[in-house]
């Protein structure tokens, strides 16, 4: 069994890549919930949904989020009514949030709903939210404390961030199965997700960082930073703003306590020695999952 510490898109792509090289039933994803929000009274779990949709082959490739073949009649109508329509939710996607919210009202947990939705979509990987308790990523900016989606969607991650915190982290407990999975995994993979806002919230859940430290030798990370830039999103900008080196070396330094091996891109091969000096082993391959062949090569390298 392998465990994959997961954000959204970067993790979903790697999880899908594993399908070609190992048994899907032997993969457990521990998924970030720091981006989760309530909108129109509905609970939305963007990273869990991205992973579920991607593994079901239903993800919208053009948008990079949501479902394929989506329509927007509800949002358009809401906009026309003067309602809050800045956070776009497609018509089909809304069904997911209606389903989840109704199940919560009947006492189900995030773990229950993640498993149910995965099952309905034929996803065989086990998807575990890192916690069932409230955990919210907050961006401290000149405009005050912003919620994840205010920063990400409303401001298009275009304003300076002074710091990031995870409200609720100290009080929350790992969801059922999370620590057990980390203890029992043959290998733990840190997906090429945003270190500061996708992986750090997972590490901030009591017990998770400690377990990773203990398993350090079996933990392998894939760098989301290639040739000094993120493929998508604000990982590079946030690393810079929060004082980290914007490179695979910066990522390695960030993870060095919890991870013994890092996979970096071929384009960064000249940084290998710097990372080795930090006490990590380095593997090099194509890490851009631009097509099936490259994704498979990366998955193979991670499992080697
Ligand atoms: P989000 O929660 O949807 O924002 O996604 P993640 O945090 O999981 O992933 C965002 C990160 O994934 C960005 O920093 C990207 O650079 C990285 N990423 C996306 N696709 C790839 C890929 O094919 N290869 C690698 N190495 N990184 C990727
Ligand atoms: Ca996310």
């Amino acid at each position: 069994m392998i465990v994959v510490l997961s954000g959204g898109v970067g993790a979903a792509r790697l999880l899908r890549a594993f399908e070609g090289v190992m048994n899907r039933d032997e993969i457990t994803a521990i998924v970030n919930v720091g981006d989760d929000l309530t909108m129109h009274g509905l609970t939305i779990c963007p990273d869990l949904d991205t992973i579920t949709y991607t593994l079901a082959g239903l993800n919208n490739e053009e948008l990079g989020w949501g479902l394929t073949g989506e329509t927007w009649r509800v949002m358009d109508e809401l906009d026309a009514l003067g309602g809050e329509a800045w956070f776009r939710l497609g018509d089909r996607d809304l069904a997911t949030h209606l389903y989840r919210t109704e199940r919560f009202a009947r006492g189900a947990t995030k773990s229950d709903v993640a498993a149910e939705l995965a099952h309905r979509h034929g996803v065989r990987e086990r998807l575990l939210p890192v916690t069932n308790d409230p955990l919210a990523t907050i961006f401290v900016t000149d405009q005050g404390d912003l919620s994840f989606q205010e920063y990400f969607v409303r401001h298009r991650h275009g304003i300076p961030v002074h710091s990031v915190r995870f409200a609720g982290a100290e009080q929350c407990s790992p969801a059922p199965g999370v620590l057990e999975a980390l203890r029992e995994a043959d290998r733990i993979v840190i997906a090429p997700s945003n270190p500061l806002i996708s992986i750090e919230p997972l590490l901030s859940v009591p017990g998770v960082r400690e377990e990773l430290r203990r398993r350090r030798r079996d933990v392998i990370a894939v760098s989301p930073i290639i040739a000094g830039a993120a493929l998508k999103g604000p990982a590079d900008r946030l690393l810079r703003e929060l004082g980290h080196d914007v490179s695979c070396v910066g990522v390695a330094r960030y993870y060095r306590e919890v991870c013994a091996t890092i996979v970096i891109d071929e384009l960064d091969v000249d940084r290998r020695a710097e990372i080795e000096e930090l006490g990590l082993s380095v593997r090099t391959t194509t890490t851009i999952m631009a097509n099936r062949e490259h994704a498979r090569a990366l998955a193979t390298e991670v499992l080697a």
Side-chain angles (χ1 to χ4, degrees):
M1 194 260 294
I2 67 159
V3 164
V4 183
L5 299 184
S6 303
V9 173
R13 294 175 119 191
L14 184 65
L15 285 162
R16 191 174 50 190
F18 283 130
E19 286 180 2
V21 296
M22 70 176 283
N23 195 335
R24 292 180 70 179
D25 305 311
E26 288 170 29
I27 301 174
T28 296
I30 297 179
V31 184
N32 175 38
V33 295
D35 313 4
D36 293 6
L37 69 155
T38 304
M39 196 88 205
H40 321 299
L42 303 175
T43 305
I44 301 161
C45 302
D47 287 349
L48 279 162
D49 290 345
T50 293
I51 290 174
T52 306
Y53 294 162
T54 303
L55 294 177
L58 296 172
N59 58 307
N60 190 319
E61 298 273 0
E62 297 86 69
L63 279 180
W65 50 274
L67 283 159
T68 184
E70 192 56 280
T71 55
W72 305 94
R73 299 192 60 179
V74 175
M75 277 299 124
D76 291 346
E77 190 64 24
L78 186 63
D79 203 18
L81 293 174
E84 279 219 71
W86 59 272
F87 190 74
R88 305 288 287 167
L89 296 166
D91 299 333
R92 293 178 69 201
D93 192 26
L94 274 165
T96 299
H97 315 313
L98 287 168
Y99 176 85
R100 175 181 291 118
T101 305
E102 171 66 12
R103 293 286 295 124
F104 283 176
R106 292 171 187 275
T109 62
K110 233 172 235 187
S111 301
D112 296 332
V113 177
E116 289 165 12
L117 290 171
H119 182 72
R120 304 256 152 98
H121 283 299
V123 171
R124 305 212 326 261
E125 292 80 356
R126 187 159 71 125
L127 307 185
L128 300 179
V130 66
T131 180
N132 286 323
D133 301 324
L135 174 65
T137 301
I138 308 282
F139 293 84
V140 181
T141 73
D142 285 339
Q143 310 196 22
D145 287 5
L146 301 180
S147 74
F148 189 93
Q149 304 302 342
E150 280 171 329
Y151 168 73
F152 218 86
V153 180
R154 210 175 231 174
H155 293 284
R156 298 198 175 82
H157 48 75
I159 58 171
V161 172
H162 306 307
S163 62
V164 177
R165 62 190 169 83
F166 307 104
E170 280 123 53
Q171 300 89 288
C172 74
S173 308
V178 166
L179 294 183
E180 293 80 353
L182 289 173
R183 274 181 212 126
E184 288 159 18
D186 298 309
R187 184 159 304 190
I188 299 168
V189 182
I190 302 179
S193 291
N194 189 318
L196 302 169
I197 57 173
S198 290
I199 302 302
E200 188 61 31
L202 305 178
L203 301 177
S204 76
V205 171
V208 172
R209 192 189 309 272
E210 293 71 17
E211 197 52 45
L212 283 172
R213 277 205 192 110
R214 229 176 47 75
R215 300 286 326 261
R216 182 178 182 274
R217 265 187 303 164
D218 301 308
V219 182
I220 180 166
V222 179
S223 177
I225 302 294
I226 299 167
L231 290 181
K232 196 176 152 273
D236 42 10
R237 180 181 171 140
L238 282 173
L239 281 167
R240 186 175 310 109
E241 286 175 352
L242 300 181
H244 304 281
D245 182 11
V246 189
S247 69
C248 58
V249 183
V251 174
R253 191 174 292 116
Y254 194 81
Y255 288 145
R256 66 192 285 194
E257 269 188 54
V258 294
C259 158
T261 309
I262 186 165
V263 183
I264 63 170
D265 198 85
E266 281 162 358
L267 294 171
D268 288 314
V269 67
D270 57 331
R271 310 299 301 265
R272 174 185 270 271
E274 285 168 80
I275 298 177
E276 285 170 348
E277 271 169 39
L278 294 170
L280 284 89
S281 311
V282 180
R283 296 186 189 171
T284 330
T285 185
T286 334
T287 63
I288 304 177
M289 293 173 273
N291 56 47
R292 264 173 193 278
E293 197 187 314
H294 286 176
R296 198 188 168 92
L298 175 60
T300 306
E301 190 61 43
V302 169
L303 295 178

